[in-house]
Amino acid sequence: MLVVVGSPAARLVPPAVRAAGFASEVAAAAAAAGGAVQIVGRVGDDATGDAVLLDLAERGVGHVAVLRSGGDGTPVVGELGTTDAGDEEPAAEAATDEAPAGEGSSA
C-alpha cells in the first residue's frame, strides 16, 4: 500500500469539482496503475471538500485519514495556478514586475 501525505485542493472543471494538487495527482496516478493508495491530509468541512473526496474515491484513492477542518475552506486552485485567495501571482505577470523598464539591459 502507498500512503501519500499532502492536502488535496480543488479545481473547478465545470460542471464538476475535481481533486487537484501534487498529492492528489500522485495518489490518483498510483491508483490508476493498480496500487492500493491512501491519502493523508486535510480539506475543509465544506461542499468543496466533499466533492474533492468523492473525486478521489472515484479514482480509487482511499481517504480515511483526511482531516475535515471546520475553520478553513478547501483551497481552490485557479486556472493559472493561483488559489482563490489570490496569494500567488501567475508566472506571466510576475515576470513583468521583476525589473523596472530600462534597467538590466546592457546597451
Side-chain angles (χ1 to χ4, degrees), residues 8-73:
R11 179 175 306 280
L12 304 178
V13 183
V17 175
R18 301 290 310 254
F22 187 72
S24 296
E25 296 306 320
V26 168
V37 183
Q38 288 286 330
I39 193 165
V40 176
R42 177 179 63 87
V43 296
D45 191 13
D46 54 9
T48 304
D50 294 342
V52 166
L53 295 180
L54 285 172
D55 182 50
L56 287 169
E58 289 171 358
R59 294 163 75 183
V61 177
H63 55 274
V64 295
V66 174
L67 173 68
R68 301 301 301 266
S69 176
D72 299 317

Side-chain angles (χ1 to χ4, degrees), residues 65-94:
V66 174
L67 173 68
R68 301 301 301 266
S69 176
D72 299 317
T74 303
V76 177
V77 178
E79 189 173 303
L80 296 175
T82 60
T83 63
D84 62 346
D87 58 353
E88 298 177 22
E89 289 184 285
E93 290 178 19

